[in-house]
Amino acid sequence: ENQRNGLLGYIVQKLNDSKVRLISVNAKATKERIAITEVTLEVDSVESLNKVIRELRKIDSVYEVSRKNKMKRFALIGAAGYIAPRHMKAIKDTGNDLVAAFDPYDGVGIMDSHFPDADFFTVFERFVCYFDKLRREGNPIDYISICSPNYLHDAHIRFGLRSGCDVICEKPLVLNPWNVDAIQEIEK
């Protein structure tokens, strides 16, 4: 369950003029386990080394991210919305985690199939308090995905930006063009 295979990153250390050490970090098994493979190669040029790395990437191209990337923490507003299951699937398929979701409607079984450990709120004020708690504990949300009704997009985008999150919003972004200027001011 929740398995991923593939190259996460690699480190190349020059040992001498003809030898390099290639340390590759591969994801194998669950997200909690990472296998590190170390190989010492003899190459005659940088081009030869690049060829080896390209071959590794072909083998391990299922799930490739830079070594600096980590799993992002998402929240979702409008979890019972029409497009919300696509957002949840995208969050899961990209190896990220849905931490919390909000919707006044409490019949969101699809969320449990993707993220059974995510916290779910039907009262927006409690959702906001949970956000503050996570931030104070040093576990802030990185992204908010907004799938709420169109007329609420503006308020939910503002909430996300003021909370220090990057915001992903379904279309239309806002109903009135002048709201975009206000959102840009908050974003700065």
Side-chain angles (χ1 to χ4, degrees), residues 26-184:
N26 298 286
K28 189 80 173 166
T30 66
K31 61 185 174 185
E32 290 85 19
R33 301 170 109 183
I34 295 179
I36 298 176
T37 306
E38 182 177 328
V39 180
T40 302
L41 304 169
E42 287 193 45
V43 294
D44 54 357
S45 67
V46 174
E47 291 80 23
S48 299
L49 176 61
N50 285 333
K51 184 178 178 183
V52 170
I53 291 172
R54 277 194 301 276
E55 292 303 312
L56 278 173
R57 283 188 170 163
K58 284 180 189 173
I59 295 167
D60 291 325
S61 63
V62 175
Y63 187 66
E64 182 179 330
V65 295
S66 78
R67 285 182 296 131
K68 293 180 182 178
N69 285 349
K70 63 174 188 161
M71 181 185 294
K72 300 296 183 187
R73 295 166 48 86
F74 277 76
L76 190 137
I77 297 176
Y82 174 74
I83 202 72
R86 290 185 189 182
H87 284 240
M88 290 179 213
K89 184 177 183 322
I91 292 167
K92 185 173 182 94
D93 288 350
T94 55
N96 295 300
D97 189 27
L98 181 66
V99 175
F102 162 75
D103 199 291
Y105 176 67
D106 194 12
V108 190
I110 188 75
M111 192 177 98
D112 290 334
S113 67
H114 289 295
F115 299 98
D117 296 330
D119 290 306
F120 182 75
F121 298 87
T122 57
V123 177
F124 190 70
E125 291 77 8
R126 289 186 178 156
F127 181 71
V128 171
C129 289
Y130 184 71
F131 249 75
D132 288 340
K133 176 184 170 232
L134 291 176
R135 186 180 40 78
R136 285 192 318 272
E137 291 175 347
N139 294 319
I141 300 294
D142 299 304
Y143 289 90
I144 295 181
S145 187
I146 298 175
C147 305
S148 56
N150 297 346
Y151 73 94
L152 294 172
H153 287 180
D154 182 47
H156 291 156
I157 291 169
R158 290 171 191 242
F159 163 73
L161 293 174
R162 286 186 178 127
S163 298
C165 300
D166 292 323
V167 177
I168 300 168
C169 184
E170 67 177 6
K171 63 182 184 178
L173 192 60
V174 291
L175 296 179
N176 301 309
W178 54 84
N179 292 101
V180 174
D181 295 332
I183 289 171
Q184 284 178 324

